[in-house]
Amino acid sequence: MEEGTGTGGPLFQTYGAKGRTVYKIYASFILMCILSILSYRLTHIPDEQDGVRWAWMAMLSSELWFSFYWIITQSARWNPIYHQTFKHRLSQRHGNELPCVDVFVCTADPVAEPPSLVVSTVLSVMAYDYPSEKLSVYLSDDAGSELTFYALWEACKFSKYWLPFCKKFEVEPRSPGACFFKQSFHSSSNNLSTTKEWSKMKDMYEEMINRIEFVVRQGKVPQELKQHQGFSKWSSEMTSRNHDAIIQILIDEKDENSVDLDGNLLPRLVYMAREKRPQHHHNFKAGAMNALLRVSSEISNSPIILNVDCDMYSNNSQSIRDALCFFLDEEKGHDIGFIQYPQYFDNITKNDLYATSFNVINEVELCGLDSWGGTLYIGTGCFHRREALKGRKYSKDYIEDWKRGSLDKRRVESPSVLEDRAKPLASCTYEHNTLWGKEIGLRYGCAVEDILTGLTIHYNGWKSRYFNPQRRGFLGLAPTALEPSLVQFKRWSEGHFQIFLSKYSPLLFGHQKIKLGLCMGYSIYNLWALNSFPTLTYILIPPLFLLKGISLFPKVSTAWFLPFALVFIAKQAYSLIEALYCGDTFMGWWNSQRMWVFRRITSFLYGAVDNIFKLFGVSKLAFTITEKVNDGDALKQYEQEVMEFHSASPMFVIIGTVALLNAFCLVGGVMRMVNMNKGAAGMDALLIQVVLCGVVVAINVPIYEGLFLRKDKGCMPSSVTFASLGAAMLACLLTLV
Ligand SMILES: *[C@@H]1O[C@H](CO)[C@@H](O)[C@H](O)[C@H]1NC(C)=O
Ligand SMILES: CC(=O)N[C@H]1CO[C@H](CO)[C@@H](O)[C@@H]1O
């Protein structure tokens, strides 16, 4: 190990983003404009008449909030950093003496997350370019479904062919689903896709998927399999909410069947369904992860844990080696608690209608947080140091035992002994009166338990690194309809705001434990929910006052107009440039502007209100799984980038009302100006309101179409149309009388 150190250099290298001076000049310029806007508001407070004063105060409060929020977002843009890894040095220095790695895949519902999808993910992580005897893959099935187990059992058989095939032809990506059905795969032999082996493999895969889908449609596994020891653990009385713990080691190195076609060892494969009882709270995914932590400590106990969602396959067989370059670096590796990969999606259409791709967050903001010593743990695509995840505090004297797991004596025990020993660890009552969920493992009681867990790891003194290589490490599936996407953001904003209000709040209590920049960085997301109120103020009050013909902004002919215009133009221009730089298209940027407004006025509003209710003990935490599959019609609309409304969601009523209200006010306000022959003077005073209103109308074009023009299945339900029309007209009438 020593020889390599001198010649080798570090295992990873960090460099900063370019153009930071330009950015800092831009930011100072915006700051000056913001200060002028605030001083305008403060020095021009109107006398009390027609309620103008309260409207002015509301605008002032919103602008104060936006200024404050803008300042905290600077932490993520001040100094983004990037990393490069040197995997050849890792091989030179460590050879095959690498640490053991456990992979946790979590699934929760065989309907929303079909077993055929889970299987592709599991196979992709089994096929990592890593010594098989050091790799253990665990699938946690929170539905305790026989169907998922059946799929895994099929995958286990298929892996004996798939793994040698991948290794022989260096196929990438190694998820069979992605490899056979996407055009973008690579292999060492150029014309692989025309060979016999390829078509044989593809047929085999399709046959397996057909068998799995047949069993899923039937809803039960074939009778003849019931004799097989694994399936006998399911009985007809079992339900997903009420069953015993099931742990099954499908592949184990002591078993002579656990080799592939070429006689090479396969990675260990374990199925776990923790015990579920209606009277015990199961704590969702955090509960499953904690059960996996304990069960795996009995079976493999590897020092490194990779955690992926079941819909997120590995797109790069080198990812484990990349991650180890960070952990094993002699200089800078000792205090790293986790390595987070970005969440990218496989299912994004060209212009990303629902703005689900997070390009800007992935390419800029998370790199920015990295420079403060920590990026967020986002619940998937993350490599953890087991000890840090279990709650150990960082100390300089701590030396990681990288050999742990591989030399353990438990390795000589038979699978059934291990299963029996691990089973009590997955019981409902195991955690009673322990610190699990409070100080050990993932934290409970938060809608974004992963973020909270990452935060406590930072509080414990560990750093995290964000690794975003050009070739994506993991690819998942994004929601393909409007409502699920808004519901997802509701959960995130709610959970984040909950963290802000808790004793863990980075902005309020984090200063002594982590850097100020990181406190601010966390707060960008923690405070998402609170953006809802000022945004609503800004897109409801100016249009209503435009309708009345009352100005809330400076005249175009005065100097005060400048800062407003400059902030508006400069911020939009910057956000456009940033989005293009991060890989969005122009239309994609435009779509994302719309989606951020929708999120703020619906998801974030719900998130904020739910938390406020919770403070008074009214509402309870509810977790919704976002649907990953859609029926044919909806999918076609998604591919054509047509918005899908369909359900009569109250969120759509809010969106519809805001869109219609702005349209009415724009028309009414401009007509009033024309009728009263005050064209020029009116424009002078009301231009900003007209522009603001015009922009809101422009981004809402798909909403008007959905409300009035479209007749297909995905248009707005008529109840939503009537409710929005009624609410918007009522608001306009009340303003006018
Ligand atoms: C996924 O991996 C394939 C094969 O290496 C590569 O061609 C493709 O660009 C990757 N996808 C992304 C989004 O990086
Ligand atoms: C599961 C799912 O929704 N998959 C879809 C992702 O998007 C592509 C096209 O963009 C579809 O072909 C998939 O069916």
Side-chain angles (χ1 to χ4, degrees):
M1 205 173 122
E2 291 307 309
E3 322 103 52
T5 327
T7 54
L11 292 177
F12 76 98
Q13 195 180 33
T14 303
Y15 48 98
K18 288 200 273 294
R20 285 303 95 185
T21 324
V22 178
Y23 182 79
K24 286 171 190 173
I25 294 171
Y26 157 81
S28 325
F29 169 73
I30 295 277
L31 184 63
M32 267 158 38
C33 294
I34 288 177
L35 293 176
S36 336
I37 289 177
L38 294 178
S39 48
Y40 167 77
R41 282 276 175 230
L42 285 167
T43 51
H44 290 71
I45 298 175
D47 300 330
E48 188 47 63
Q49 43 122 343
D50 300 344
V52 185
R53 188 165 187 158
W54 71 257
W56 195 273
M57 287 319 210
M59 298 297 285
L60 172 62
S61 330
S62 306
E63 281 152 4
L64 277 172
W65 172 263
F66 288 140
S67 313
F68 165 74
Y69 193 72
W70 179 82
I71 290 172
I72 61 170
T73 61
Q74 295 317 300
S75 63
R77 292 187 168 68
W78 209 242
N79 188 27
I81 56 170
Y82 305 90
H83 307 287
Q84 186 189 4
T85 55
F86 303 105
K87 291 188 284 290
H88 61 281
R89 293 187 186 157
L90 183 76
S91 316
Q92 268 169 19
R93 259 174 254 180
H94 298 272
N96 267 349
E97 292 291 298
L98 292 164
C100 292
V101 175
D102 289 347
V103 185
F104 294 176
V105 182
C106 298
T107 179
D109 178 352
V111 178
E113 302 165 336
S116 50
L117 181 81
V118 177
V119 157
S120 259
T121 303
V122 168
L123 286 165
S124 78
V125 295
M126 284 176 81
Y128 269 121
D129 173 23
Y130 204 70
S132 295
E133 70 277 10
K134 308 230 155 149
L135 193 58
S136 306
V137 177
Y138 294 81
L139 177 70
S140 154
D141 176 16
D142 252 1
S145 159
E146 201 180 10
L147 308 176
T148 306
F149 179 71
Y150 172 77
L152 196 67
W153 181 75
E154 285 280 357
C156 168
K157 291 193 290 176
F158 182 69
S159 67
K160 300 187 177 182
Y161 302 87
W162 178 245
L163 265 54
F165 176 77
C166 286
K167 287 181 182 158
K168 182 167 169 203
F169 296 106
E170 294 173 27
V171 182
E172 291 281 356
R174 294 188 175 180
S175 146
C179 181
F180 291 125
F181 299 107
K182 299 258 149 47
Q183 294 317 313
S184 63
F185 70 91
H186 287 267
S187 129
S188 58
S189 76
N190 284 334
N191 42 10
L192 174 66
S193 60
T194 58
T195 63
K196 258 214 199 103
E197 269 136 319
W198 170 267
S199 43
K200 218 178 96 197
M201 214 53 233
K202 188 168 178 202
D203 290 347
M204 211 171 180
Y205 173 70
E206 276 168 5
E207 279 160 25
M208 172 182 78
I209 292 296
N210 286 340
R211 282 197 301 276
I212 292 176
E213 281 174 355
F214 177 76
V215 164
V216 169
R217 270 198 305 277
Q218 301 278 303
K220 57 178 199 292
V221 301
Q223 204 53 42
E224 63 267 24
L225 278 179
K226 284 286 187 186
Q227 320 318 335
H228 181 278
Q229 52 129 3
F231 294 95
S232 60
K233 298 198 178 162
W234 274 268
S235 64
S236 50
E237 300 90 66
M238 276 179 57
T239 67
S240 63
R241 299 233 175 80
N242 195 359
H243 64 80
D244 224 3
I246 302 175
I247 293 169
Q248 307 234 27
I249 304 182
L250 285 128
I251 303 180
D252 187 85
E253 60 192 64
K254 269 95 57 190
D255 187 350
E256 59 267 28
N257 283 328
S258 50
V259 290
D260 64 22
L261 271 194
D262 300 344
N264 295 319
L265 200 65
L266 287 167
R268 182 188 276 118
L269 183 62
V270 182
Y271 172 90
M272 179 196 87
R274 61 193 165 121
E275 186 190 9
K276 287 278 184 66
R277 299 293 173 206
Q279 66 272 27
H280 292 294
H281 191 47
H282 58 79
N283 293 305
F284 308 105
K285 193 174 138 194
M289 285 283 291
N290 283 344
L292 276 176
L293 262 174
R294 293 190 296 270
V295 166
S296 66
S297 71
E298 207 42 68
I299 297 174
S300 51
N301 202 27
S302 307
I304 300 285
I305 292 168
L306 162 63
N307 159 220
V308 287
D309 279 349
C310 68
D311 63 342
M312 206 170 185
Y313 66 85
S314 151
N315 194 51
N316 185 341
S317 66
Q318 300 296 320
S319 295
I320 297 187
R321 290 175 187 271
D322 276 321
L324 288 178
C325 285
F326 291 92
F327 286 116
L328 293 181
D329 185 82
E330 291 82 355
E331 292 278 309
K332 293 172 287 180
H334 57 283
D335 62 350
I336 294 179
F338 60 92
I339 307 292
Q340 178 67 57
Y341 275 69
Q343 198 170 9
Y344 279 101
F345 301 103
D346 210 6
N347 245 74
I348 305 283
T349 49
K350 178 161 164 268
N351 294 321
D352 193 10
L353 184 62
Y354 301 118
T356 32
S357 71
F358 308 131
N359 278 340
V360 171
I361 293 182
N362 285 341
E363 302 281 331
V364 179
E365 294 189 3
L366 292 179
C367 305
L369 297 200
D370 200 358
S371 69
W372 303 109
T375 203
L376 317 182
Y377 165 41
I378 52 178
T380 180
C382 187
F383 287 87
H384 282 280
R385 189 190 286 264
R386 178 185 287 268
E387 286 299 310
L389 188 58
K390 270 179 66 184
R392 177 189 281 277
K393 291 196 165 53
Y394 170 71
S395 87
K396 276 205 188 64
D397 314 320
Y398 177 66
I399 297 169
E400 187 66 71
D401 174 14
W402 294 117
K403 294 219 167 66
R404 190 148 49 110
S406 54
L407 296 176
D408 254 314
K409 62 175 179 305
R410 72 191 89 220
R411 293 227 149 198
V412 299
E413 278 161 340
S414 80
S416 58
V417 173
L418 288 177
E419 282 170 11
D420 288 344
R421 196 123 44 92
K423 212 171 140 185
L425 303 178
S427 76
C428 286
T429 47
Y430 182 87
E431 293 181 350
H432 287 181
N433 305 318
T434 66
L435 290 174
W436 282 94
K438 301 188 197 88
E439 286 174 29
I440 307 179
L442 275 90
R443 304 302 146 113
Y444 294 155
C446 178
V448 288
E449 72 285 331
D450 32 25
I451 305 282
L452 179 61
T453 303
L455 177 63
T456 54
I457 292 176
H458 287 142
Y459 282 168
N460 279 342
W462 300 95
K463 297 218 163 45
S464 61
R465 289 280 158 236
Y466 175 68
F467 188 51
N468 183 11
Q470 200 55 42
R471 200 174 104 205
R472 308 307 179 203
F474 302 91
L475 293 175
L477 289 178
T480 53
L482 183 57
E483 202 193 1
S485 154
L486 292 176
V487 169
Q488 196 179 44
F489 268 87
K490 185 221 153 196
R491 179 168 70 80
W492 286 335
S493 67
E494 181 185 336
H496 269 290
F497 191 42
Q498 196 186 347
I499 295 181
F500 180 78
L501 295 173
S502 75
K503 64 175 181 190
Y504 298 106
S505 178
L507 202 62
L508 304 179
F509 311 115
H511 315 299
Q512 278 108 44
K513 300 175 206 137
I514 51 178
K515 287 191 181 149
L516 181 63
L518 191 55
C519 296
M520 288 164 70
Y522 265 106
S523 307
I524 298 177
Y525 312 100
N526 288 173
L527 292 174
W528 263 352
L530 284 188
N531 278 313
S532 54
F533 303 113
T535 305
L536 277 169
T537 308
Y538 235 79
I539 59 177
L540 290 178
I541 292 182
L544 288 174
F545 278 77
L546 172 65
L547 188 64
K548 276 181 155 188
I550 296 174
S551 167
L552 293 176
F553 289 92
K555 288 196 170 99
V556 179
S557 51
T558 63
W560 290 114
F561 172 75
L562 269 182
F564 281 93
L566 287 175
V567 162
F568 181 74
I569 295 168
K571 278 197 70 176
Q572 296 308 313
Y574 172 76
S575 112
L576 175 62
I577 294 170
E578 190 176 64
L580 293 178
Y581 165 81
C582 295
D584 286 346
T585 59
F586 177 79
M587 274 313 286
W589 169 77
W590 181 245
N591 289 336
S592 76
Q593 300 298 99
R594 176 185 315 117
M595 282 308 295
W596 279 110
V597 173
F598 287 2
R599 284 166 192 161
R600 285 177 168 213
I601 64 179
T602 59
S603 318
F604 294 180
L605 181 68
Y606 279 46
V609 169
D610 264 11
N611 265 302
I612 293 166
F613 278 0
K614 213 179 300 155
L615 285 183
F616 299 102
V618 185
S619 120
K620 273 221 308 270
L621 195 67
F623 197 105
T624 342
I625 295 184
T626 7
E627 281 281 339
K628 295 295 161 51
V629 275
N630 272 309
D631 61 44
D633 279 350
L635 204 59
K636 198 179 286 159
Q637 288 201 330
Y638 174 67
E639 278 162 27
Q640 291 166 352
E641 305 203 314
V642 177
M643 276 216 169
E644 149 85 36
F645 302 107
H646 197 52
S647 56
S649 159
M651 287 189 173
F652 294 168
V653 178
I654 301 181
I655 293 175
T657 306
V658 167
L660 289 175
L661 185 140
N662 272 274
F664 294 159
C665 292
L666 184 64
V667 175
V670 172
M671 265 170 42
R672 171 195 285 265
M673 268 187 261
V674 175
N675 281 349
M676 295 174 76
N677 263 336
K678 289 200 303 194
M683 259 312 171
D684 189 25
L686 290 169
L687 182 72
I688 296 186
Q689 268 148 285
V690 172
V691 171
L692 207 61
C693 210
V695 171
V696 176
V697 169
I699 62 170
N700 275 310
V701 169
I703 301 301
Y704 306 124
E705 287 173 359
L707 284 170
F708 304 116
L709 302 178
R710 280 165 51 189
K711 294 276 172 291
D712 54 276
K713 252 177 82 183
C715 71
M716 283 275 193
S718 43
S719 56
V720 174
T721 311
F722 287 126
S724 320
L725 261 178
M729 291 206 286
L730 188 67
C732 292
L733 283 179
L734 287 181
T735 312
L736 286 177
V737 294

